Amino acid sequence: MSYRIIADSCCDKTAQMADWTNITFVPLTLEIGDYRILDDENFDQDDYIRRTLEYNDVAKTACPSPDAWATAFDCDEDELYVITITDKLSGTYNSALQGVELYKEEHPDSTKKIHVFNSLATAGIECLTAEKIKALADAGEDFDTIVSTVEDFIVNHTALYFCLESLDVLKKNGRLFALAATVLKKLRLKLVFERTSEGNIKPAAQDIAMNRAIVKMANIIGENVAGIDLADKRLIITHVCCEDKAKFVAEKIKAVAPFGDIEIVKASGLNSTYAANGGIIVSYSK
């Protein structure tokens, strides 16, 4: 059976994906005041961040419509694996589910199999999920096995941490609803957050300096993967206009956790919006 991976644009593009011919990205919409663009292959991170820094408010985003998803599902492949950002931070997952129902209504005779994965995260975990799906599908695993294996992979074999220069966008867009008020009073600190198994975020460490917060994040990751053979595990560092900082993060993580592969990528538009200028997101398999 032929298959296609369909991901929202929160899935950062890794080097491995460059040659894939069976992946489709469904873009979110980015808004900076009256400036409105799709988060697609034309996204220019440097220009976008410049605009956010010049804007006296915060950027906003909008998830793809159910119709946009249904359109993406109208393809030649028989099995579709759909990946979205966590439903705790966006309506994209629910929109994709509605897109499935819309597609079925418009194609009542279709025998296409579609499964929507809630990545419980964003950025690199969506990439790792896509890579896992491809590996299993290319190995000839059946649809149901791929679905169950990848659902377990997302919950039990991936992790995500991030450290941002600014939390303004997350705070003003209501994306910090799960954090205690006492933490919000400490926004001048550099906070390290982690993804929870439910797809929320929670604080994991803090420091007054970004470099020291990064070292703490690296040490937490080292502790998290202690005793695991990392030879075949991947770690993805997503950055927002701070490649040198991403390289520093890579060095600190390598010192405590010998991942088989570490890749540095630019953040997509959605991730650039919420991580903001200077933000770092670290995702890995374990």
Side-chain angles (χ1 to χ4, degrees), residues 9-14 43 45 122-128 159-164 214 217 234-247 249-250 253 262-284:
S9 60
C10 307
C11 180
D12 297 318
K13 286 71 172 177
T14 65
F43 175 71
Q45 186 185 75
T122 185
I125 286 189
E126 289 196 46
C127 305
L128 294 170
L160 180 148
Y161 291 84
F162 64 91
C163 189
L164 312 182
I214 286 172
M217 179 173 66
R234 260 172 57 78
L235 181 140
I236 299 172
I237 302 172
T238 300
H239 73 89
V240 184
C241 296
C242 58
E243 186 174 5
D244 287 344
K245 186 188 297 181
K247 292 178 179 178
V249 173
I253 292 175
I262 295 179
E263 182 175 354
I264 295 173
V265 301
K266 280 189 173 183
S268 68
L270 185 285
N271 296 322
S272 293
T273 300
Y274 291 106
N277 190 40
I280 290 286
I281 306 171
V282 177
S283 314
Y284 57 92

Side-chain angles (χ1 to χ4, degrees), residues 24-63:
T24 298
F25 295 98
V26 179
L28 282 82
T29 302
L30 313 175
E31 300 177 7
I32 306 174
D34 296 331
Y35 179 72
R36 182 184 175 101
I37 58 171
L38 289 177
D39 184 13
D40 59 16
E41 67 276 5
N42 298 313
F43 175 71
D44 183 330
Q45 186 185 75
D46 291 334
D47 177 72
Y48 181 74
I49 291 301
R50 177 186 60 77
R51 290 174 182 270
T52 64
L53 294 174
E54 293 173 352
Y55 186 50
N56 60 8
D57 203 341
V58 296
K60 298 181 179 180
T61 62
C63 66

